[in-house]
């Protein structure tokens, strides 16, 4: 079965899907994206993802490529055509095709690409069961990390360094010595008093949808939550640590820079929240 992609009005074979060389996404990374999880053929937290997409577009003074209802239809149709039941749907909007020039073009129409893929469920299950290692490194990104921009060069460099160091994820550290987030995940610890700690929303981090739902789940489970920055040192002596993202929801972190967190096995709060997520994440 061949994969299908949606590209600017057409469903095409994934292997043959093309974008113009003067698309501003290709030329300038002038675009934004969303990744929405899919469970049992339904989208997870679609409303929140689409709200964030609209916000990212607004912040870059870009147009929605079409009305929301039409976009929702395309997300589902792309899933259906790819027979994806458990996986994710990826949606990217760029400012469109125009001769290469830095200012916004006058008449470009936004480009829209939607793809869908299955999750590697065995890989995620193994990561959840055993926990993963993260390594810390300087956060070299721009000052508006709350915009889900397709410009991800510092993120991929950080992820690559982490993988070369044998770790699963990079935790990025700001100039003041506090963890911002992972290269493609939000960062969490459970402190010595059992409080769940994560950095507050602001321009320094992506406002993760999974992060948002985990906070709701934690509060309703009676887990005390503190939104404040933490240092790598505090994380290393925390009871637990974990990462969150739409793809895998929660993955426990058992080692930071080679140092064991807690007893170097997945934490109970992380696993409990992962389980609770199922009751709070909205499927549509
Ligand atoms: N990454 N922080 C960063 C820098 C991210 O790129 C992501 C998501 C997250 C988690 O956000 P959410 O819970 O909304 O998925 C945090 C996606 C999955 C990606 O780039 O593939």
């Amino acid at each position: 079965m061949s994969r299908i992609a949606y590209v600017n009005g057409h469903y095409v074979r994934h292997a043959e899907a093309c974008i113009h060389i003067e698309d501003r996404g290709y030329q300038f990374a002038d675009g934004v994206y969303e990744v929405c999880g899919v469970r049992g053929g339904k989208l997870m937290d679609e409303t929140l993802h689409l709200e964030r997409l609209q916000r990212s577009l607004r912040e870059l003074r870009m147009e929605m490529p079409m009305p929301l209802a039409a976009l929702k239809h395309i997300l589902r149709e792309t899933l259906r055509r790819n027979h994806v039941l458990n996986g994710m749907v990826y949606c990217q909007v760029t400012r469109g095709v125009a001769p290469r020039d830095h200012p916004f073009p006058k008449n470009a129409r936004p480009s829209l690409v939607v793809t869908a893929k299955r999750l590697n469920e065995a890989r995620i299950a193994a990561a959840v069961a055993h926990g993963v290692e993260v390594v810390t490194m300087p956060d070299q990104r721009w000052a508006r990390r709350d915009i889900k921009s397709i410009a991800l060069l510092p993120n991929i460099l950080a992820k690559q360094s982490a993988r070369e160091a044998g770790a699963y994820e990079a935790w990025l550290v700001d100039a003041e010595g506090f963890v911002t987030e992972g290269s493609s995940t939000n960062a969490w610890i459970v402190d010595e008093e059992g409080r769940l700690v994560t950095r507050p929303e602001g321009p320094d981090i992506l406002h993760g949808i999974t992060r948002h739902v985990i906070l709701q789940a934690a509060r309703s489970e009676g887990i005390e939550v503190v939104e404040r920055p933490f240092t790598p040192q505090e994380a290393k002596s925390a009871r637990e640590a974990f990462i969150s993202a739409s793809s895998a929801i929660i993955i426990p972190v058992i080692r930071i820079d080679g140092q064991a967190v807690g007893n170097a096995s997945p934490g109970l709060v992380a696993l409990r929240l992962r389980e609770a997520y199922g009751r709070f994440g909205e499927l549509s």
Side-chain angles (χ1 to χ4, degrees):
M1 185 202 72
S2 60
R3 284 180 71 194
I4 302 292
Y6 173 92
V7 184
N8 290 328
H10 303 280
Y11 293 95
V12 295
R13 285 162 61 96
H14 189 278
E16 288 153 18
C18 294
I19 284 285
H20 195 283
I21 55 165
E22 289 206 298
D23 187 280
R24 289 177 63 94
Y26 181 67
Q27 295 284 7
F28 295 117
D30 187 4
V32 301
Y33 74 108
E34 276 297 324
V35 179
C36 189
V38 178
R39 300 285 180 279
K42 304 225 185 247
L43 283 96
M44 293 184 66
D45 305 312
E46 180 192 25
T47 310
L48 296 172
H49 280 282
L50 291 179
E51 275 169 16
R52 186 173 64 185
L53 176 68
Q54 289 171 287
R55 177 178 182 275
S56 295
L57 288 169
R58 253 194 332 270
E59 292 296 312
L60 298 184
R61 291 196 276 148
M62 284 170 56
E63 301 280 329
M64 269 290 273
M66 61 184 61
L68 208 50
L71 178 57
K72 286 181 174 183
H73 172 77
I74 290 168
L75 297 179
R76 282 171 181 73
E77 186 60 17
T78 306
L79 286 176
R80 192 187 68 76
R81 290 186 187 228
N82 288 282
H83 308 283
V84 172
L85 280 181
N86 293 312
M88 47 219 214
V89 61
Y90 176 90
C91 162
Q92 173 171 315
V93 183
T94 69
R95 206 180 302 273
V97 176
R100 187 181 182 282
D101 195 12
H102 286 63
F104 296 170
K106 289 241 158 28
N107 300 314
R109 287 215 321 268
S111 298
L112 171 65
V113 169
V114 178
T115 57
K117 70 171 187 186
R118 295 186 184 150
L119 275 184
N120 186 339
E121 290 180 76
R123 182 164 178 264
I124 292 174
V128 174
H130 304 299
V132 298
E133 171 153 10
V134 302
V135 285
T136 60
M137 57 192 75
D139 195 336
Q140 297 181 319
R141 297 173 301 161
W142 73 325
R144 289 301 308 275
R145 301 151 191 164
D146 54 315
I147 299 172
K148 202 162 170 58
S149 151
I150 58 172
L152 291 173
L153 197 49
N155 305 60
I156 62 168
L157 291 175
K159 184 80 89 185
Q160 182 61 22
S161 299
R163 294 294 162 91
E164 285 169 8
Y168 185 89
E169 175 63 301
W171 270 11
L172 307 174
V173 180
D174 68 16
E176 284 73 47
F178 293 98
V179 174
T180 52
E181 60 184 330
S183 68
S184 63
T185 55
N186 287 116
W188 305 74
I189 58 170
V190 177
D191 73 8
E192 283 168 348
E193 280 76 47
R195 291 179 296 229
L196 185 60
V197 181
T198 195
R199 192 173 176 114
E201 286 188 352
D204 315 324
I205 62 165
L206 184 75
H207 303 175
I209 303 304
T210 320
R211 175 190 177 283
H212 176 84
V213 178
I214 289 172
L215 287 174
Q216 283 184 335
R219 290 189 174 111
S220 96
E221 291 279 298
I223 297 169
E224 193 183 339
V225 173
V226 190
E227 292 180 70
R228 65 164 175 82
F230 58 85
T231 62
Q233 200 45 48
E234 185 183 5
K236 288 170 195 170
S237 54
R239 274 196 204 167
E240 294 184 26
F242 63 90
I243 53 179
S244 69
S246 299
S247 41
I249 310 298
I250 286 176
I251 296 181
V253 170
I254 56 164
R255 232 178 284 283
I256 302 171
D257 296 333
Q259 219 171 298
V261 178
N263 59 2
S265 58
L268 293 178
V269 173
L271 297 179
R272 184 170 153 210
L273 285 170
R274 196 167 197 283
E275 199 267 321
Y277 196 97
R279 281 178 273 126
F280 284 85
E282 181 195 287
L283 292 172
S284 61

